[in-house]
Amino acid sequence: MENKGQANSKGQFGSSFGFLMAAIGSAVGLGNLWGFPYKMGANGGFAFLILYLILVVFVGYVMLLTELSLGRRTGKGVIGAYEAISKKYAFIGWMGAIAPWLILSFYSMLGGYCIKYAVANLGDLFGAGWGVGGVDSSEFFAGFTTDMLETSIYSLIFVILTVVIVLRGVSGGIEKFNSVAMPALFVMLVIVIIRSVTLPGASEGLAFMFKPDWSVFEGNGWISVLSVAGGQMFFSLSIGMSIMIAYGSYLPKDQNLERNALTIPLADTTVAVMAGVATLPAVFAYGLEPSQGPGMLYITLQAVFSNMGDLGGLFGFLFYGLVFIAAITSSISLLEGVTSAAMDKAIEKGRTPNRKKTTLILGISIAITSVLVSLDGLGANGFPQFFGQSTWLDAVDLISEGILMPLGACYCAIVIPISWVNEEVTLNGSRFRTKGFYDFCIKFVAPIMMVMILLGQLDTFFGLGMF
Ligand code: PFF
């Protein structure tokens, strides 16, 4: 049942650089460029950053190493990997396969929005009629989100692009694309940062991010900050579901797992902080408010670009192009997580896995769900809402990010045979440098933290006022 070294019939990464780019590409996404800056600003700035870093080290790194090891050890996607521990744990695998499938519905919609905004800014650059054309950015946003046909088309374009890359396989599609897209993303981010921090009045935005507000630690407030930071960490590192298990299963046995598990969160957190530096100074420089949710990414930042004058279209195009790249490198990992688990089912039945057919069927199902979430227009189109949420995006997010991810990761920490991780890390004679730290965290720190994060998430989503 376990994979002790043979090549994975679903695919394999060709180089350690390719693997790292794919894993960092999965981690760096809308969560970094949109979620991190405003959550940090709204939850105590520097205090949030400290808590986030502690969580990344004690829970993120530990879970990442666990999931990569589980994947490489078993050579399976998420369902098969948990079944390899024990048949009775298949349900954890199912949770890990359903979560990314759900996330893809709203992720594709938001990715589609990025394409629309990149196109509109390009239009502005050339003075074309299809640009934003000086329209107030909230009006432009409302006009677009309530145009059910247009939003659905952009979501579908995003789904099709994701499917096309995943269809080409692990090394020919995912690895190749990430190896070009991630360095390009980095360069674009640096250009946007330089523009943002050189605007007059930019320092206020830096202060908003980095000035500590310790008052969030008074009373029980820190638990809600911990849960916001924790939810953000799960989502941002792509852990608690199927992705890192699938990517681990495509990793050749000669790769050092410990080093990779350290590099991924380091790169992800660096990009998240850089994203804050790229956006918040510009938001403050133009006297705008860093509001919450998609508004910050699409309304506030578009107002920044519209205010920039002639070059606004260029920077807007660069910025939304950058967010689009970050989003698509994550969405291909989400789709691969589900595809990998589904292909295992064919292998179990003794058949050769058919990547094309599996990806296409899953792609069609995601096309349908993403159009549904798009039709809701972030709650603006008057459709009935679920679970007390104000948009369909939030309802899907509640189930996936709010419940399935922390619960899945918590189960993972409890059921993982620690000896497997030890054996995978020390394969080829590498020393497991963080073994003492890992053992302690996986047994005690990670499960407790995850239960707190889960409670905090439910508290926030349902407005229970527990903390
Ligand atoms: N990590 C991605 C982000 O920060 O946007 C989103 C994501 C990708 C979440 C893959 C979960 C996942 F498995």
Side-chain angles (χ1 to χ4, degrees), residues 10-15 168-177 179:
K10 292 175 289 179
Q12 193 153 39
F13 287 111
S15 69
R168 303 178 80 91
V170 179
S171 63
I174 299 171
E175 180 172 352
K176 224 180 195 170
F177 184 76
S179 299

Side-chain angles (χ1 to χ4, degrees), residues 131-325:
V132 181
V135 175
D136 174 74
S137 70
S138 27
E139 249 174 65
F140 185 77
F141 184 69
F144 172 58
T145 49
T146 50
D147 185 333
M148 296 192 207
L149 181 65
E150 202 184 358
T151 47
S152 299
I153 290 173
Y154 276 106
S155 300
L156 286 176
I157 295 174
F158 189 85
V159 173
I160 292 168
L161 292 173
T162 304
V163 168
V164 165
I165 298 168
V166 174
L167 269 181
R168 303 178 80 91
V170 179
S171 63
I174 299 171
E175 180 172 352
K176 224 180 195 170
F177 184 76
N178 276 292
S179 299
V180 178
M182 291 312 289
L185 175 139
F186 194 78
V187 173
M188 286 154 95
L189 188 56
V190 170
I191 297 174
V192 179
I193 286 179
I194 294 172
R195 174 67 286 200
S196 176
V197 297
T198 51
L199 288 166
S203 57
E204 227 185 298
L206 293 173
F208 178 77
M209 261 185 97
F210 295 115
K211 209 172 104 216
D213 168 13
W214 302 111
S215 66
V216 294
F217 289 108
E218 282 160 19
N220 283 339
W222 65 275
I223 299 185
S224 79
V225 178
L226 181 85
S227 82
V228 177
Q232 172 66 21
M233 181 207 64
F234 277 111
F235 193 75
S236 192
L237 290 181
S238 306
I239 50 178
M241 46 169 128
S242 45
I243 281 84
M244 291 302 170
I245 296 177
Y247 277 14
S249 76
Y250 306 144
L251 192 60
K253 293 280 183 187
D254 58 359
Q255 296 294 321
N256 184 315
L257 280 184
E258 201 179 17
R259 197 173 333 115
N260 281 311
L262 280 169
T263 313
I264 298 162
L266 195 71
D268 184 65
T269 310
T270 307
V271 173
V273 175
M274 285 172 78
V277 178
T279 51
L280 291 169
V283 168
F284 278 85
Y286 288 107
L288 300 161
E289 275 295 313
S291 66
Q292 269 195 241
M296 159 94 182
L297 185 58
Y298 303 104
I299 301 176
T300 318
L301 287 170
Q302 184 50 52
V304 167
F305 300 122
S306 298
N307 271 318
M308 263 184 196
D310 289 347
L311 281 183
L314 176 66
F315 284 107
F317 174 69
L318 264 182
F319 179 77
Y320 289 109
L322 154 92
V323 188
F324 162 73
I325 291 178

Side-chain angles (χ1 to χ4, degrees), residues 25-33 100 103 107 232 234-239 241-244 268 326-327 329-331 333-334 405:
S26 169
V28 170
L30 294 171
N32 304 60
L33 297 169
I103 290 175
Y107 215 81
Q232 172 66 21
F234 277 111
F235 193 75
S236 192
L237 290 181
S238 306
I239 50 178
M241 46 169 128
S242 45
I243 281 84
M244 291 302 170
D268 184 65
T329 52
S330 298
S331 70
S333 77
L334 286 160
M405 287 178 84

